[in-house]
Amino acid sequence: MLRHEFKPGRLVAGLFLALAGLVYAGDAGGLWETPWFAVIPLVTVGLCLAAVTGSLAHGIRRHRRRERPAGAGAGAGTRARV
């Protein structure tokens, strides 16, 4: 059972930011040479993709909620306490 709602936009943003950190770590470790401005497009593209992914996920989630029948809500099978 899921404890929280899955947010793919945050996943994409986290992956791109981790990749940016990996690029800087490789440069600091001497594995390769990275220009100072190379991470800016990487982070910008990652954040744009995260925004698109989050918007699509939100639209799909909202569309699925509209299709659900009226009696299928979370509290439909519970009785009220008296």
Side-chain angles (χ1 to χ4, degrees), residues 2-71:
L2 293 176
R3 294 182 181 264
H4 57 82
E5 189 175 16
F6 176 63
K7 302 211 177 194
R10 290 184 182 185
L11 175 67
V12 170
L15 288 174
F16 272 88
L17 291 175
L19 180 63
L22 184 67
V23 167
Y24 270 135
D27 184 33
L31 296 175
W32 55 76
E33 193 69 28
T34 305
W36 66 270
F37 56 85
V39 177
I40 295 171
L42 183 67
V43 170
T44 304
V45 167
L47 290 176
C48 289
L49 283 176
V52 169
T53 305
S55 296
L56 284 174
H58 179 71
I60 290 170
R61 210 175 301 123
R62 194 175 74 210
H63 179 70
R64 285 187 181 175
R65 284 186 189 144
R66 278 193 213 147
E67 289 180 353
R68 188 180 301 168

